[in-house]
Amino acid sequence: MSDLTGKVAIVTASSRGIGRAVAKRLAQDGAAVAVNYVHSADKAEAVVQEIEAAGGKAIALKATVAQRDDVQRLFDEAEQQLGKVDIVVNVAGASVFKPHVQLTDEDFDKVFSVNARGAMYMLQAAANRIADGGRIVQFSTGGTMMPIPGGGIYAASKAAGERFAFALAKEVGDRQITVNVVSPGVTDTDGLIMGEEDVAQLVQQTPLGRLGQPADVADVVAFLVSKDAHWMTGQNLQVNGGIL
Ligand SMILES: NC(=O)c1ccc[n+]([C@@H]2O[C@H](COP(=O)([O-])OP(=O)(O)OC[C@H]3O[C@@H](n4cnc5c(N)ncnc54)[C@H](OP(=O)(O)O)[C@@H]3O)[C@@H](O)[C@H]2O)c1
């Protein structure tokens, strides 16, 4: 476990799933955490209460990463209530899975507004507002490396976030800020829309022999935002039990 005492973290999409595990892990390591949500106010509040019950500090903040004003307000409120931000983990993601020939303009707007435009806003705000020596983590997917039928639009939109992150790593390195990408493999959350048979098949192909859990991914994020990861930037970590 690393020591994040005195650090302030914003974790987007942390009312549920992997984001929730990341928020809880960073709080366990000592960071004060802004738990971000869009619709799940009750779930975000429950995450805050779990963190506080364990002796940590957290607040819940509503904002969609897809709106520039919301992202600015997210940083304003986190700064006002917790202090200057040291760690930004942009977990938020939207997905559409369907064959390419069936894709609509609405599908495009749904995934690109969160995965591409949202990543642009979050990484811009992070670069402008984070303390020198800070840590930025952008979430992507193993799907940008391993094409799957029906996964084209999701992978394309996530690839935009990766590319923003890699360029930003070169732009803020002189401030000793690291920017890395975490790409989960199939992970057991509400966002997992595969049937049991497909999941069983994937588990069979996974060298480590099981389905990923949110905490498996949170452990890697905890390392990336720690002091020990100071010499790693512009990397894409595949966190997937070895399937890729
Ligand atoms: N699970 C997987 O197998 C898997 C695999 C590869 C990559 N990923 C990526 O890992 C990340 C987390 O996935 P997950 O499965 O944990 O998600 P999830 O369980 O489906 O949870 C979705 C979360 O995203 C939040 N959210 C949705 N739209 C948002 C927006 N516009 N702004 C801010 N927050 C928003 C939701 O908040 P509300 O509930 O408040 O709306 C919720 O907290 C995503 O980027 C996803 O693409 C997941």
Side-chain angles (χ1 to χ4, degrees), residues 95-100 103 111 141-144 146-158:
S95 58
V96 165
F97 287 92
K98 58 163 80 163
H100 193 79
L103 291 171
V111 290
T141 169
T144 62
M146 182 173 71
I148 54 165
I153 195 163
Y154 175 64
S157 61
K158 283 287 190 182

Side-chain angles (χ1 to χ4, degrees), residues 13 15-16 18 38-40 64-65 91 140 154 158 184-185 187 189 191:
S15 54
R16 299 188 278 125
I18 297 170
V38 183
H39 302 104
S40 307
T64 169
V65 300
V91 181
S140 183
Y154 175 64
K158 283 287 190 182
T187 310
T189 69

Side-chain angles (χ1 to χ4, degrees), residues 85-198:
V85 176
D86 305 285
I87 297 165
V88 175
V89 186
N90 185 29
V91 181
S95 58
V96 165
F97 287 92
K98 58 163 80 163
H100 193 79
V101 292
Q102 292 175 15
L103 291 171
T104 65
D105 292 354
E106 289 71 31
D107 294 331
F108 184 92
D109 290 344
K110 180 182 170 188
V111 290
F112 274 82
S113 67
V114 175
N115 300 345
R117 202 170 62 202
M120 181 178 81
Y121 293 155
M122 280 302 300
L123 294 176
Q124 273 182 340
N128 286 330
R129 311 281 285 265
I130 205 166
D132 288 358
R135 299 275 186 269
I136 301 172
V137 178
Q138 168 65 33
F139 264 63
S140 183
T141 169
T144 62
M145 301 275 286
M146 182 173 71
I148 54 165
I153 195 163
Y154 175 64
S157 61
K158 283 287 190 182
E162 290 180 7
R163 295 295 131 183
F164 288 142
F166 297 151
L168 184 63
K170 305 228 167 177
E171 293 164 11
V172 295
D174 60 344
R175 293 168 54 203
Q176 301 305 308
I177 295 167
T178 68
V179 188
N180 289 290
V181 173
V182 163
S183 292
V186 180
T187 310
D188 194 6
T189 69
D190 297 344
L192 183 60
I193 51 173
M194 292 172 135
E196 267 178 38
E197 248 175 57
D198 290 336

